[in-house]
Amino acid sequence: MSTRALSTQAAPGSFRPDIEGLRALAVSGVVAFHFGMTGLPGGFIGVDIFFVISGYLITRHLQQEIARSGTVNLWRFYGRRARRLLPASLFVILATLLFGYFILAPSEQQFYSKGSLFASSYMINLWLIRWAVDYFASDASNNPFIHYWSLSVEEQFYLVWPALLLVFARFRPGKRGLFLLLAAVAAVSFALSWRVTAISQPWAFYFSPLRAWEFAAGGLASMAVSQEWARRFRFSPVLGWLGLALIAAAYLTVTEDIPFPGSIALVPVLGTVMVLLSGAHESRAGPRSVLALQPFQEIGKLSYSLYLWHWPVIVYAGILEPDLTIADRLLCLALTVVLSLFSYHFIENPVRHSGWLAAKTSRSLGLAALLTATGATVAYGSATLASFNLDSEQRQVLKSAERKSAAREFDSACVLERDEIAPRACEFGAKNPQKTIVLFGDSHADHWSTPLKRIAENNGWRLVTYLKSSCPAASVTTWNSVLARDYSECDQWRKLVLGEIASLKPDVVILSQYSSSYVRNDINHISSYQIDVGAWAKGIKRTVETLKETGSDIVMLRDGPLHKSYLDKCVARALWQDENPSVCDTPRNEAVEETIPAAERKVVSDVGHASYVDVVDLFCNKTTCPAVIDGKLTFRDRHHIATPYAESLAASLQRAIFGETIVGAVRNK
């Protein structure tokens, strides 16, 4: 995202106001998207625009240096990067840690201090790859350093690209030969990115080699072959307007639900390339004249600082006031601008233009080492201080949130990951049981494994679990947001599980699933791919009727409440700030959805030997769904039951499910 720095490295007089304007478009899209202030679902692709601009400017500058001297002074290059990027970056990191001390709970401070460490060393994208695929990972929207991923990708590009250009130049391939070599690099990177997006989107999104094609596209646009063509091409101005149209189309139509980057990233990338090429023509008929307007220039100048500041501002604002109004968001925007102006005028420019630092490369590199070491030291100190501030109550909250369900504690493989298909049955309780119970569903079924295991052990029964992450028991194809496609693995797994249950012929089959994440509703809008309640009801009916053929009694548990905040974090923050944990309670009418359960109840009631059990009263009274009940954290996040509280529900759940009016006596088989 730090592309503005490169404009100062081009030849004198080569400043491109249209590029400054492009920066303004890019950062405006990102900020608007994160602040939720516009109808720009694709605002996040502003980062891709920045990547192209970076590739364009860095390649142009390096080619000029190679043409002048036949080589690239890598140390001097890295010294300039250090003066330009590190001071403002570290200042925002330190400020974010400081304010986080008063806003975040000590457990969060510990975790996010790790993020600041990786952000300081420009490796947070690698940390996020692991973090993004961890099912139990903390909520990304609360991570005040997550936006540093793009800076890390860019810095990693800066490490490799100059050396690659220098190696290619040694072979003296000529203008066209060099163009073809870089085009081959771009093609390979794009092909891998497109393929990996379908397999593991976090890798495609965060891993720098799979983003290299975007930088390379900008680099290709900066090369003499491209520039000469653009200057001769009569319709270059039209090309620029078409490029802006592509960027606008991406802003308006690309959503987080679409597999990204994948092939769709070509739209903003090609649009940016077209605008850059059009700018080489210097025609007043192109978008250059519009992008050169003063508002675009002023925003473009601040783009780096705006990017650094906007995310921690909106994250902390959202923590302090979960329901931000438009006025609140405008205040956040104003604060972001003020902070950006401060860092631009008092940190970025003074250090970047320091004659003393520029006089010797060793001074700039020494600054880089000093700032990086400072960031790492402060991050370590922040994590250490946070550990001292963890009192017994906060540790109890943390322990409750981290404790695994009975199924996961027995074997983490009891809950299948997204790409796994072969069913895994995990058994608990008696070996020669009076009754066999099957628990079937997704992670919301998993959190019931804890009280059901206790019930089975107390009654001499056997519990068998069939569980898969984000995969409902309802026979309906759902969209997986991580895979960014239809969850075909879930359909295959479910079919195999239904076959195994038929062979097992249990006494009771208990179904549970995170219904509101799969079905459109007013409380839990996750994506545009949520199905309608009618299709969901048909899926429930198919599963229940299939299970009915086994002769088993079928019990479907109503899904629990959905809290407005992550209860583990919210309660820990309340304790840290000497507030009552009740500030984390959610009103029942905002936590409990009624349309989906009504449809589920009707379908189940129409099937013999099937019952629908409403468990909401285990978590909510008539008006409120408390964060803490009887001294226990109720949910470890917004919707997964905290294991200690789940364990306390065994007696209540047994009465709700196994009363004589619901399940009859054990049958002889």
Side-chain angles (χ1 to χ4, degrees), residues 366-378:
L367 175 70
L370 176 62
L371 294 180
T372 301
T374 299
T377 301
V378 173

Side-chain angles (χ1 to χ4, degrees), residues 572-634:
R573 289 174 198 146
L575 294 171
W576 172 239
Q577 294 160 11
D578 293 325
E579 293 182 324
N580 193 300
S582 63
V583 299
C584 304
D585 296 351
T586 303
R588 180 169 177 142
N589 63 349
E590 296 179 21
V592 177
E593 206 281 328
E594 297 294 349
T595 305
I596 300 171
E600 293 174 337
R601 184 181 289 107
K602 185 179 185 304
V603 169
V604 173
S605 65
D606 290 340
V607 180
H609 291 284
S611 60
Y612 192 78
V613 175
D614 193 328
V615 296
V616 171
D617 287 346
L618 298 177
F619 308 99
C620 308
N621 55 42
K622 291 182 179 180
T623 61
T624 306
C625 299
V628 176
I629 296 178
D630 294 331
K632 291 183 171 62
L633 184 73
T634 52

Side-chain angles (χ1 to χ4, degrees), residues 135 405-407 415 438-452 463 465-468 471-473 493 510-514 518 557 559 639-641 653:
Y135 181 81
S405 66
V415 183
V438 165
L439 175 62
F440 173 30
D442 57 15
S443 61
H444 278 212
D446 171 46
H447 61 206
W448 290 115
S449 68
T450 301
L452 286 171
L463 171 67
T465 64
Y466 290 99
L467 307 167
K468 181 172 171 62
C471 183
W493 171 81
I510 300 173
L511 310 179
S512 178
Q513 54 224 325
Y514 184 17
Y518 308 117
L557 300 180
D559 202 15
H639 51 84
H640 291 98
I641 309 171
L653 189 65

Side-chain angles (χ1 to χ4, degrees), residues 389-627:
N389 289 328
L390 271 173
D391 61 24
S392 58
E393 286 185 296
Q394 292 169 35
R395 289 184 187 279
Q396 186 61 38
V397 170
L398 186 62
K399 184 178 178 181
S400 295
E402 291 180 341
R403 183 177 164 188
K404 297 179 180 179
S405 66
R408 289 184 184 273
E409 189 174 35
F410 175 75
D411 188 341
S412 60
C414 287
V415 183
L416 270 64
E417 297 296 336
R418 285 177 290 270
D419 58 341
E420 297 178 294
I421 295 171
R424 164 140 186 158
C426 292
E427 298 187 10
F428 308 88
K431 293 184 178 179
N432 298 304
Q434 294 178 324
K435 181 180 291 187
T436 295
I437 308 163
V438 165
L439 175 62
F440 173 30
D442 57 15
S443 61
H444 278 212
D446 171 46
H447 61 206
W448 290 115
S449 68
T450 301
L452 286 171
K453 175 177 178 288
R454 175 70 62 86
I455 291 170
E457 291 172 344
N458 289 347
N459 291 277
W461 301 341
R462 176 174 61 156
L463 171 67
V464 182
T465 64
Y466 290 99
L467 307 167
K468 181 172 171 62
S469 176
S470 302
C471 183
S475 295
V476 59
T477 299
T478 58
W479 175 266
N480 186 280
S481 59
V482 176
L483 298 174
R485 59 172 171 80
D486 285 344
Y487 198 3
S488 58
E489 293 88 345
C490 175
D491 293 339
Q492 298 173 63
W493 171 81
R494 186 191 306 111
K495 183 178 180 180
L496 294 172
V497 168
L498 288 171
E500 288 201 10
I501 293 175
S503 300
L504 187 62
K505 295 187 182 301
D507 296 277
V508 183
V509 180
I510 300 173
L511 310 179
S512 178
Q513 54 224 325
Y514 184 17
S515 303
S516 66
S517 72
Y518 308 117
V519 187
R520 284 192 291 274
N521 63 92
D522 295 331
I523 287 179
N524 192 23
H525 177 71
I526 292 180
S527 78
S528 59
Y529 290 93
Q530 288 173 296
I531 63 176
D532 64 73
V533 70
W536 177 253
K538 291 177 182 178
I540 294 288
K541 183 178 181 180
R542 284 190 289 268
T543 294
V544 172
E545 289 185 338
T546 300
L547 291 170
K548 179 184 176 183
E549 297 175 2
T550 67
S552 305
D553 289 310
I554 304 158
V555 176
M556 183 170 179
L557 300 180
R558 176 179 176 171
D559 202 15
L562 176 70
H563 281 269
K564 295 174 66 176
S565 61
Y566 284 70
L567 294 192
D568 58 331
K569 296 180 175 66
C570 185
V571 171
R573 289 174 198 146
L575 294 171
W576 172 239
Q577 294 160 11
D578 293 325
E579 293 182 324
N580 193 300
S582 63
V583 299
C584 304
D585 296 351
T586 303
R588 180 169 177 142
N589 63 349
E590 296 179 21
V592 177
E593 206 281 328
E594 297 294 349
T595 305
I596 300 171
E600 293 174 337
R601 184 181 289 107
K602 185 179 185 304
V603 169
V604 173
S605 65
D606 290 340
V607 180
H609 291 284
S611 60
Y612 192 78
V613 175
D614 193 328
V615 296
V616 171
D617 287 346
L618 298 177
F619 308 99
C620 308
N621 55 42
K622 291 182 179 180
T623 61
T624 306
C625 299

Side-chain angles (χ1 to χ4, degrees), residues 3 19 22-23 49-58 272 276:
T3 51
I19 293 179
L22 269 177
R23 289 195 190 94
I49 297 173
F50 274 110
F51 286 167
V52 178
I53 295 173
S54 277
Y56 181 92
L57 293 171
I58 192 81
T272 307
L276 290 170

Side-chain angles (χ1 to χ4, degrees), residues 295-310:
F296 287 106
Q297 297 301 295
E298 293 301 320
I299 296 172
K301 281 194 303 183
L302 289 177
S303 59
Y304 180 48
S305 287
L306 286 169
Y307 183 77
L308 288 174
W309 282 112
H310 86 282

Side-chain angles (χ1 to χ4, degrees), residues 94-368:
L94 296 180
T96 302
L97 287 172
L98 175 63
F99 285 105
Y101 179 83
F102 301 100
I103 296 172
L104 302 172
S107 56
E108 293 177 287
Q109 295 171 32
Q110 277 189 309
F111 182 74
Y112 296 135
S113 291
K114 295 179 182 178
S116 71
L117 172 62
F118 285 98
S120 300
S121 54
Y122 289 96
M123 294 190 296
I124 197 171
N125 62 318
L126 303 178
W127 182 61
L128 288 170
I129 288 172
R130 175 182 178 276
W131 187 62
V133 297
D134 180 4
Y135 181 81
F136 286 100
S138 300
D139 173 36
S141 66
N142 283 334
N143 186 339
F145 300 105
I146 196 170
H147 64 312
Y148 275 80
W149 77 268
S150 64
L151 303 178
S152 297
V153 167
E154 192 163 338
E155 284 303 293
Q156 290 158 22
F157 168 77
Y158 291 156
L159 285 174
V160 175
W161 196 247
L164 184 65
L165 282 177
L166 193 56
V167 169
F168 284 165
R170 297 294 186 191
F171 292 102
R172 298 183 179 179
K175 294 179 181 179
R176 296 184 183 277
L178 182 59
F179 183 93
L180 292 174
L181 286 171
L182 295 183
V185 171
V188 170
S189 174
F190 172 75
L192 291 173
S193 176
W194 173 75
R195 179 69 182 120
V196 174
T197 299
I199 299 171
S200 178
Q201 190 181 19
W203 276 92
F205 196 90
Y206 291 122
F207 194 43
S208 51
L210 302 183
R211 289 287 195 151
W213 68 274
E214 300 183 47
F215 295 93
L220 291 170
S222 76
M223 301 190 72
V225 173
S226 303
Q227 294 290 296
E228 290 168 4
W229 173 85
R231 282 191 286 268
R232 293 196 308 266
F233 186 49
R234 288 179 55 194
F235 299 104
S236 279
V238 177
L239 187 71
W241 289 115
L242 289 175
L244 281 183
L246 285 178
I247 292 172
Y251 273 164
L252 293 170
T253 61
V254 176
T255 70
E256 291 179 286
D257 299 327
I258 296 175
F260 198 87
S263 59
I264 196 66
L266 280 170
V267 177
V269 168
L270 290 179
T272 307
V273 166
M274 291 162 72
V275 175
L276 290 170
L277 289 173
S278 173
H281 195 272
E282 299 186 0
S283 170
R284 291 183 176 273
R288 180 168 181 154
S289 57
V290 174
L291 293 173
L293 293 174
Q294 196 62 26
F296 287 106
Q297 297 301 295
E298 293 301 320
I299 296 172
K301 281 194 303 183
L302 289 177
S303 59
Y304 180 48
S305 287
L306 286 169
Y307 183 77
L308 288 174
W309 282 112
H310 86 282
W311 185 244
V313 166
I314 197 64
V315 165
Y316 286 162
I319 289 173
L320 294 172
E321 182 56 54
D323 296 318
L324 292 172
T325 65
I326 293 297
D328 294 332
R329 296 175 191 275
L330 288 173
L331 286 174
C332 289
L333 180 60
L335 176 60
T336 300
V337 172
V338 170
L339 292 171
S340 299
L341 286 168
F342 174 83
S343 61
Y344 177 75
H345 288 291
F346 294 100
I347 298 173
E348 286 184 50
N349 276 348
V351 177
R352 179 177 54 179
H353 299 307
S354 169
W356 184 82
L357 287 172
K360 289 187 178 181
T361 299
S362 59
R363 293 173 182 170
S364 297
L365 295 176
L367 175 70

